[in-house]
Amino acid sequence: MFSSDQNIETIGQLVELFKHYIGLQNEYLRLDVIEKVVRLITSLIIAAVTLLLILIIFIYLSFAAAYALAPLVGHSVAFLIVAAFYIIVFLLFLAFRKSWVEKPLVRFLASLLME
């Protein structure tokens, strides 16, 4: 009953279609991983360029603030005031790094990789 030529041919076609399906699934998975990696790299490059530009802006603003304070308190004290401001910002960053950096970064990466 199961050994007719038509049944064997149908089973052969089914096996071929299944192999083709598995190949397409592998291709889709590979393309999906490539897309996510490219999106991640693009996001990292954009973040790095943005941070570099912000760093340059802060350097110039720091010098401007120090030179603006210099007539009031002197050059040395003006630069110390600017440095103290950055130390306070750094300490706040250390205190709140989980809520300011880690959690948003985890959410971003999870949303990027789960799409």
Side-chain angles (χ1 to χ4, degrees), residues 11-75:
I11 292 173
Q13 289 174 347
L14 183 63
V15 168
E16 288 299 316
L17 285 173
F18 186 70
K19 285 181 184 178
H20 183 66
Y21 173 76
I22 295 296
L24 289 176
Q25 286 294 357
N26 285 338
E27 178 94 7
Y28 173 74
L29 182 62
R30 190 169 51 101
L31 290 174
D32 190 44
V33 167
I34 289 171
E35 177 196 5
K36 289 178 181 179
V37 167
V38 167
R39 288 176 61 196
L40 182 63
I41 290 172
T42 303
S43 298
L44 289 174
I45 290 172
I46 289 171
V49 169
T50 303
L51 288 175
L52 180 66
L53 291 174
I54 289 173
L55 178 67
I56 292 170
I57 290 168
F58 274 134
I59 289 171
Y60 280 106
L61 288 176
S62 298
F63 278 108
Y67 282 114
L69 289 173
L72 301 173
V73 293
H75 285 293

Side-chain angles (χ1 to χ4, degrees), residues 96-111:
F96 296 106
R97 71 182 175 269
K98 288 192 188 231
S99 62
W100 288 354
V101 178
E102 288 179 17
K103 287 181 183 178
L105 187 61
V106 167
R107 272 191 236 115
F108 170 73
L109 290 174
S111 69

